[in-house]
């Protein structure tokens, strides 16, 4: 007999925050799995969720693409217009949003394909969640993912520009998943300040991922969205 549960959350690095927020007495209702564990070249270990039959499936694949493109300052420094944010900082080169859209869409493709391959294994309603919001800035104590370590001499791009890239990515994710009948769940408002940046207290070991406190807010967002 399959193990029937209310919500199964499958994905990659952003599942860690949610997994850490699921209380023990909810383990029979909510299960959250990083599908990369023990996976080969496919990057999805299907054995980790074999035999689980959810009433709702949540996909948390990819999500850091906007950071790959825009976290580290570029040469020349660039900016974009993404309504309602249409101001361009002095000294920055305007890049058409459509060009950056294509770059992010290209970066998103592999994670979306993994998500869709997982979605095809279930016949329940499916949803995709937004990645954590951007951060404002860092200090000397901040640790960034190792992929960015060798690039830090160039500095961190301005927060306002990175916020635009994040919103552009969320727009593309929502649009892409909607075309596959998958609804998009945005990041919780309670995780952001009034400018749309993630609160410092919600960072994990690095500011591009949320901690278990962020995971709790995201879990509440999922439950509210699903009505469970």
């Amino acid at each position: 007999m399959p193990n029937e549960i209310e919500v199964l959350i499958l994905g990659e690095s952003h599942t860690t925050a949610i997994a850490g927020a699921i209380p023990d007495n909810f383990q029979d209702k909510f299960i959250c799995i990083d599908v990369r564990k023990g996976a080969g070249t496919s990057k999805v270990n299907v054995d980790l969720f074999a035999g689980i039959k959810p009433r709702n499936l949540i996909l948390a694949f990819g999500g850091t693409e906007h950071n790959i493109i825009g976290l580290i300052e570029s040469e020349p420094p660039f900016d974009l217009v993404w309504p309602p944010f249409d101001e361009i900082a002095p000294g920055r080169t305007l890049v058409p949003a459509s060009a950056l859209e294509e770059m992010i869409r290209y970066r998103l493709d592999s994670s979306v394909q993994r998500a869709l391959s997982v979605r095809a294994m279930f016949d329940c309603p499916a949803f995709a969640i937004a990645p954590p919001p951007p951060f404002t800035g860092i200090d000397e104590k901040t640790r960034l993912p190792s992929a960015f370590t060798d690039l830090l001499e160039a500095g961190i791009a301005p927060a306002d520009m990175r916020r635009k890239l994040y919103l552009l990515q969320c727009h593309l994710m929502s649009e892409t998943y909607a075309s596959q009948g998958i609804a998009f769940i945005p990041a919780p408002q309670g995780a952001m300040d009034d400018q749309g940046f993630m609160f410092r207290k919600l960072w994990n070991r690095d500011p591009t991922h949320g901690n278990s406190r962020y995971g709790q807010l995201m879990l509440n967002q999922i439950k509210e969205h699903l009505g469970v």
Side-chain angles (χ1 to χ4, degrees):
M1 289 290 292
N3 179 18
E4 296 188 4
I5 64 166
E6 191 67 43
V7 179
L8 175 61
I9 304 167
L10 299 177
E12 298 165 334
S13 62
H14 294 307
T15 59
T16 302
I18 302 173
I22 299 176
D24 291 342
N25 63 338
F26 265 63
Q27 297 294 334
D28 60 339
K29 299 180 179 68
F30 288 77
I31 295 178
C32 185
I33 298 172
D34 184 340
V35 301
R36 300 171 303 172
K37 295 178 180 178
T41 55
S42 69
K43 299 184 180 180
V44 177
N45 183 356
V46 298
D47 292 337
L48 294 173
F49 51 91
I52 300 177
K53 185 178 180 180
R55 296 184 183 88
N56 297 281
L57 175 67
I58 305 293
L59 304 168
F61 286 80
T64 195
E65 292 80 9
H66 62 103
N67 285 316
I68 293 173
I69 290 174
L71 189 150
I72 301 297
E73 187 65 284
S74 62
E75 183 56 47
F78 72 90
D79 207 338
L80 69 150
V81 170
W82 191 259
F85 304 107
D86 55 3
E87 293 186 5
I88 303 300
R92 304 189 72 83
T93 300
L94 176 63
V95 175
S98 58
L100 293 165
E101 192 172 338
E102 287 306 308
M103 290 179 66
I104 293 180
R105 194 186 300 276
Y106 173 78
R107 288 280 184 179
L108 278 172
D109 185 66
S110 59
S111 61
V112 169
Q113 291 308 314
R114 288 193 297 277
L116 294 179
S117 71
V118 168
R119 195 273 172 276
M121 300 175 191
F122 301 89
D123 59 4
C124 63
F127 306 82
I129 60 172
F135 59 93
T136 47
I138 62 174
D139 55 34
E140 64 279 359
K141 296 180 180 179
T142 305
R143 295 173 56 190
L144 287 169
S146 58
F148 300 106
T149 302
D150 295 337
L151 306 172
L152 279 177
E153 285 186 8
I156 302 297
D160 287 350
M161 190 278 290
R162 291 186 287 102
R163 176 180 54 191
K164 296 174 191 176
L165 285 179
Y166 173 80
L167 294 173
L168 191 161
Q169 175 169 325
C170 287
H171 167 75
L172 286 177
M173 291 178 72
S174 177
E175 184 180 72
T176 301
Y177 281 118
S179 70
Q180 302 295 322
I182 300 171
F184 187 69
I185 302 177
Q189 284 294 321
M192 299 175 254
D193 63 22
D194 58 3
Q195 298 299 308
F197 297 104
M198 185 161 69
F199 289 119
R200 176 66 180 83
K201 64 184 179 182
L202 302 181
W203 293 7
N204 197 3
R205 287 175 296 180
D206 71 75
T208 69
H209 293 86
N211 58 22
S212 60
R213 295 172 73 180
Y214 176 83
Q216 182 63 63
L217 292 171
M218 193 70 241
L219 188 61
N220 292 342
Q221 179 90 329
I222 291 170
K223 290 191 289 186
E224 181 178 347
H225 197 88
L226 301 184
V228 298

